[in-house]
Amino acid sequence: MTKIYVVGSLHWHTWKRNIFLFDVKRERYFLLPLPLPAFEGNDYKDIGLVKYKGKLAMTYIDKKSDFIKV
């Protein structure tokens, strides 16, 4: 699993429709649910977390239309 460091926190996409976030400064962790369109009718294997313009972004491939969405 690839980790992404954004705004003082590490982020991982978990295999259970969540983002695991670890706040480095406070040494605390959180689980955040993925937005509904990301996993509704889609296979999780195509979801990725990226850093985009200093912010956390999520990409996924819509298998029906063959487009990558951010």
Side-chain angles (χ1 to χ4, degrees), residues 17-70:
R17 300 180 181 176
N18 292 305
I19 296 171
F20 181 84
L21 179 149
F22 180 73
D23 184 323
V24 176
K25 187 175 181 179
R26 296 182 196 161
E27 296 184 356
R28 298 177 93 183
Y29 67 91
F30 306 91
L31 274 177
L32 306 171
L34 289 175
L36 182 62
F39 61 83
E40 186 177 55
N42 198 356
D43 192 350
Y44 321 141
K45 291 184 276 186
D46 298 286
I47 295 173
L49 296 179
V50 295
K51 186 175 182 177
Y52 180 71
K53 295 186 179 184
K55 297 181 180 180
L56 181 67
M58 184 185 71
T59 62
Y60 70 96
I61 297 173
D62 183 340
K63 290 184 176 186
K64 292 178 184 175
S65 63
D66 291 329
F67 285 106
I68 295 177
K69 299 183 181 188
V70 178

